[in-house]
Amino acid sequence: MTTASPPRPDPEVRGVRLVVVLLALTVVSGLIDAVSYLGLGRVFTANMTGNVVVLGFAAAGAPGFSVPHTATSLGCFLLGAVAGGRVAARYGKGSRRRWTRLTLAAEALLVGASAAVAFAWPDTNGTRYSLIALTAFAMGLRNATVRKLGVPDLTTTVLTMTLTALASESRLGDATGHRSPRRTASVIAMAAGAAVGAWLVLHHGLGIPLLIAAALSGVLAVVASGRE
């Protein structure tokens, strides 16, 4: 008489849940936008909603804004999103864990390369364009992946709809906000990343916050699971 072998554990559940991973990536977005806005000439490389507005300011001739910098960020972000779409087409129907880890590893390498450039050639025009291009491409790649993963209320970069949902679905609104803790955590994560990033940029330059962002993405690439 044979005994049935125990079921194999699902590899998708190994590691940290995607909700936690995406909240940590929201912190990374705050770090990166602090670097880009404060250190690269008032341009966003994670938050493209703000970037479109900034491009309008720059096109109108508002002082302190640059059309070339902002256009570079938008263009590289879109290229990253295209790459993310291709990766999703190839891996999106398979293991979410493998797909997520692959994307986050690529993000870590791109942001790590930007940190290396910031340390090696600080305060040059070429460095500014390199940092904008590398971080914007990384954020486009990540955002395309996050969109396809479809974890509710966790976009990692844009909070407009998150804040709208927090207010409109609160007890003062229609009282249907069953995901309020997740949304609140997302807002706090972005603010915390931006605050830490701003302090680091103001006191230690651009390389250290970028290195921290790369390290966080790298750790998440190792520990992420495929479960929400």
Side-chain angles (χ1 to χ4, degrees), residues 18-19 22 96 146-147 149-155 182 228:
L18 286 176
V19 168
L22 296 181
R96 291 177 89 190
V146 169
R147 176 178 168 81
L149 287 171
V151 179
D153 295 308
L154 292 175
T155 65
R182 180 183 297 186
E228 182 180 330

Side-chain angles (χ1 to χ4, degrees), residues 102-126:
L102 178 66
T103 301
L104 293 182
E107 176 180 323
L109 289 172
L110 288 163
V111 179
S114 72
V117 171
F119 282 121
W121 299 283
D123 300 324
T124 71
N125 197 44

Side-chain angles (χ1 to χ4, degrees), residues 19 23 154 166 177-188:
V19 168
L23 286 172
L154 292 175
L166 273 172
H178 59 284
R179 294 197 188 98
S180 290
R182 180 183 297 186
R183 294 165 180 161
T184 302
S186 182
V187 174
I188 293 171

Side-chain angles (χ1 to χ4, degrees), residues 29-171:
S29 296
L31 283 168
I32 288 177
D33 266 343
V35 169
S36 62
Y37 194 82
L38 297 176
L40 301 176
R42 293 190 183 182
V43 59
F44 293 103
T45 57
N47 180 359
M48 289 300 119
T49 304
N51 235 17
V52 172
V53 175
V54 167
L55 183 61
F57 294 163
F65 299 96
S66 167
V67 170
H69 286 173
T70 311
T72 298
S73 180
L74 282 167
C76 290
F77 182 93
L78 292 174
L79 288 173
V82 169
R86 296 296 295 269
V87 172
R90 182 166 183 174
Y91 298 103
K93 295 180 182 178
S95 166
R96 291 177 89 190
R97 177 171 171 259
R98 181 187 179 195
W99 172 30
T100 302
R101 290 185 173 192
L102 178 66
T103 301
L104 293 182
E107 176 180 323
L109 289 172
L110 288 163
V111 179
S114 72
V117 171
F119 282 121
W121 299 283
D123 300 324
T124 71
N125 197 44
T127 294
R128 291 188 190 92
Y129 278 104
S130 296
L131 299 189
I132 290 169
L134 287 166
T135 56
F137 188 95
M139 292 299 98
L141 176 67
R142 185 225 284 176
N143 271 264
T145 302
V146 169
R147 176 178 168 81
K148 294 293 184 180
L149 287 171
V151 179
D153 295 308
L154 292 175
T155 65
T156 77
T157 54
V158 180
L159 295 180
T160 303
M161 294 307 296
T162 302
L163 290 166
T164 301
L166 273 172
S168 67
E169 298 177 10
S170 68
R171 291 183 180 181

